[in-house]
Amino acid sequence: MSTKKIEQWEVERFWEIFSSLANGQTHLTGGQAATVLKNSQLRDDQLEKVWDLADVDNDGNLDFEEFCVAMRLIFDLVNGEYIEVPQTLPDWLIPESKAHLVQATRALTGRQPQFERIDDDLDSLGLKDGFDWYMSPADKSKYEDIYEANKDGRGELRCKADSLAVKFSYRVNNATSARCS
């Protein structure tokens, strides 16, 4: 198994770039990403292959995970890790949330067998996919405010048993709070 992964500092930097391009959206179009990708000075045919590999769900856009994949592929190409764009996405770069799509595609095309089985250490906590998620400090603060305002004495969030919806409202001081209805 490869020990390669996208490092936390990369995720944070990629988030800054992604969020500045996405204008509050969850995906980037080719037009939105073009300027950043072309800054790499890679040939257009290479960038097209990178896009195709990174767009794991084949929707024609890149979500944040896919953007991270594209940026890391470009970084590795520019820095000589790869001479050419790989034919297939390296296993270590496949976001766990989309691994089933890659596995299905590989099974249908006969390109590669199923992923190798990895024995997880069941005692370890946290995400198992090696992808470090990033939350902006402002979002973290907002969610901490919601939690603090709504936790009980044991630190649990409680709602009425007959209520399934949580409504969000804004207080006067712009701190977000959640309440059950």
Side-chain angles (χ1 to χ4, degrees), residues 4 9 21 49 52-53 68 75 82 111 119 129-131 138:
K4 286 184 159 189
W9 69 267
L21 297 171
K49 288 178 185 175
D52 290 343
L53 286 176
C68 289
F75 180 84
Y82 299 117
R111 284 190 187 168
D119 292 326
D129 63 358
F131 190 89

Side-chain angles (χ1 to χ4, degrees), residues 4 7 10 16 20 23 31 52 88 99 113 121 142 172 176:
K4 286 184 159 189
E7 299 292 336
E10 292 174 296
E16 290 173 12
S20 72
N23 298 320
D52 290 343
T88 61
D121 178 5
K142 178 176 74 173
V172 176
T176 307

Side-chain angles (χ1 to χ4, degrees), residues 142 145-147 149-150 166-171 173-179:
K142 178 176 74 173
D145 288 346
I146 292 170
Y147 171 75
N150 294 283
V166 175
K167 294 183 179 178
F168 292 93
S169 61
Y170 287 93
R171 290 182 283 191
N173 64 2
N174 280 340
T176 307
S177 65
R179 59 180 168 81

Side-chain angles (χ1 to χ4, degrees), residues 118-136:
I118 299 172
D119 292 326
D120 281 338
D121 178 5
L122 298 178
D123 294 333
S124 67
L125 300 175
L127 298 174
K128 304 288 187 218
D129 63 358
F131 190 89
D132 295 319
W133 292 95
Y134 175 73
M135 180 183 296
S136 71

